[in-house]
Amino acid sequence: MHETKQRKLSAFIGMHSNPIINRNILIGAGSDAGSPCTSHRALLDELYTMYEMISDAKEVLKSATVNAGKILGSDVGQIKEGYRANLILLKENPLECLSNLESIEMVVIRGKALMKHANKNLEIIAE
């Protein structure tokens, strides 16, 4: 999304988001990442925009994990028995700075480490 348009949208939504957040309405982050014309970075951009609106990293992360799993009615989004072990391991804490979501150390899908950070690149370590 064009940066100026995104900032205007953030400002508009920010004015109206607190009543929604304060009513405990379930909000899930998600994107059409991977579909034509939508990069996988779209989800990160959505999370950053959400953070600009509510300034609460914990709630932003919850929207992309726990809430998204509940909305989908799926066994994802939490680390607990009976849930799929899909997760990313980070070098730095995203609660301290949301951009730490980009400090990926490892990607785990269904309990198997698929990618590991090495020399500023993610390398596939299992298939």
Side-chain angles (χ1 to χ4, degrees):
M1 184 181 300
H2 187 271
E3 189 172 329
T4 304
K5 184 177 179 181
Q6 184 175 359
R7 288 189 190 281
K8 286 180 182 178
L9 180 61
S10 294
F12 175 79
I13 295 172
M15 291 186 296
H16 303 286
S17 65
N18 281 336
I20 294 170
I21 303 290
N22 294 336
R23 289 186 185 165
N24 294 320
I25 295 172
L26 191 62
I27 297 173
S31 71
D32 293 330
S35 62
C37 301
T38 306
S39 73
H40 289 281
R41 175 147 185 107
L43 179 58
L44 276 176
D45 293 340
E46 180 176 340
L47 297 177
Y48 293 148
T49 300
M50 187 181 295
Y51 183 77
E52 286 178 24
M53 294 184 293
I54 65 172
S55 300
D56 185 338
K58 184 176 180 181
E59 286 301 314
V60 170
L61 293 171
K62 188 176 173 185
S63 77
T65 56
V66 176
N67 292 0
K70 286 179 181 178
I71 290 167
L72 294 171
S74 184
D75 58 351
V76 297
Q78 299 182 59
I79 299 173
K80 67 188 231 183
E81 190 173 337
Y83 277 63
R84 283 188 241 166
N86 296 341
L87 52 102
I88 57 172
L89 301 176
L90 304 172
K91 293 178 190 177
E92 301 177 60
N93 188 347
L95 294 173
E96 293 172 3
C97 180
L98 201 59
S99 65
N100 288 339
L101 285 170
E102 298 184 52
S103 68
I104 298 171
E105 179 65 28
M106 186 179 296
V107 176
V108 178
I109 303 294
R110 294 186 187 100
K112 295 183 181 184
L114 294 185
M115 293 187 210
K116 182 173 121 179
H117 184 271
N119 302 323
K120 298 183 182 181
N121 296 310
L122 287 174
E123 296 179 356
I124 296 176
I125 58 176
E127 291 189 37

